Amino acid sequence: MADLHPEISADLADWIGRQKIFFAATAAPEGLVNVSPRSTKQFRVTGAHEVCWLSMLGSGNETAAHLRLSPRATVMFCAFEGPPRILRLYGEAENLYAGSAGYAAALAAHFDGEAPRSARQIIRLRVERVQTSCGYGVPLFDYKDDRPNLQRWADAKSDDELTTYLRERNAVSFDGFDTGLPAET
């Protein structure tokens, strides 16, 4: 049975802060639905009705492409340790691309002005619905650590190589939709 909440309460924000992974789901009006696992180290609760996260370089940039076509997004957290719970945040999201004024402001306000070299944008979600459910079907897992691979890969690249990778691999989604990355990225 699902429970609706009027906002992200302090208790829910605290619970989010103890999780290790979240999933972000988006979909364009047609084409693939995308669900991406993310580390909560880059996730921030920024208000009772707003969250954001740093989006890192990847083999694609489906979230950005989908949000340009439809701003709907869902974020889901599952308790893989401790008492069972699932939390879903539904709302409309926007891309704040690295190099933009919005990105700089969000980075300063929520990430102490610092981002890993692999960060390409911040996704900001205006939360319209907060829902929890039992989570009884979620398995228990022991968290070991975040994988260092992405940061190690980015650190081994020059700025020019990272820019080239972004342009070649993150400018268009798997379905061929423009991700909106600025040309000067």
Side-chain angles (χ1 to χ4, degrees):
M1 180 63 128
D3 292 316
L4 296 179
H5 303 266
E7 63 186 18
I8 303 169
S9 66
D11 287 343
L12 289 175
D14 180 62
W15 182 83
I16 288 169
R18 292 192 311 273
Q19 304 315 302
K20 306 293 192 260
I21 188 172
F22 72 99
F23 302 87
T26 57
E30 57 186 53
L32 300 172
V33 173
N34 187 63
V35 180
S36 295
R38 309 269 183 206
S39 170
T40 56
K41 288 183 180 178
Q42 289 86 31
F43 190 90
R44 302 291 184 272
V45 175
T46 57
H49 296 279
E50 187 179 281
V51 298
C52 68
W53 64 92
L54 280 166
S55 176
M56 304 301 172
L57 279 170
S59 56
N61 197 358
E62 304 307 290
T63 301
H66 289 171
L67 293 179
R68 287 175 49 83
L69 298 167
S70 174
R72 296 177 318 131
T74 301
V75 170
M76 183 180 74
F77 295 87
C78 299
F80 292 110
E81 51 192 21
R85 175 186 272 170
I86 296 170
L87 169 68
R88 290 179 181 90
L89 305 174
Y90 301 89
E92 291 195 354
E94 65 179 322
N95 298 306
L96 304 173
Y97 296 103
S100 71
Y103 178 90
L107 193 65
H110 309 301
F111 298 92
D112 297 325
E114 295 187 25
R117 289 184 67 231
S118 56
R120 62 185 167 200
Q121 66 227 12
I122 293 173
I123 309 296
R124 180 168 45 205
L125 177 69
R126 288 174 299 287
V127 177
E128 299 166 354
R129 181 182 177 112
V130 178
Q131 177 184 316
T132 56
S133 56
C134 68
Y136 292 166
V138 176
L140 289 169
F141 286 101
D142 290 325
Y143 173 75
K144 186 173 179 182
D145 201 356
D146 283 355
R147 296 177 191 267
N149 306 53
L150 177 59
Q151 197 57 49
R152 190 172 50 228
W153 176 87
D155 289 344
K157 303 288 183 197
S158 70
D159 289 344
D160 287 342
E161 288 172 319
L162 286 177
T163 299
T164 298
Y165 184 87
L166 260 174
R167 287 185 183 144
E168 290 177 355
R169 301 293 293 272
N170 286 198
V172 178
S173 76
F174 299 137
D175 287 327
F177 304 130
D178 180 8
T179 65
L181 281 173
E184 63 275 359
T185 298

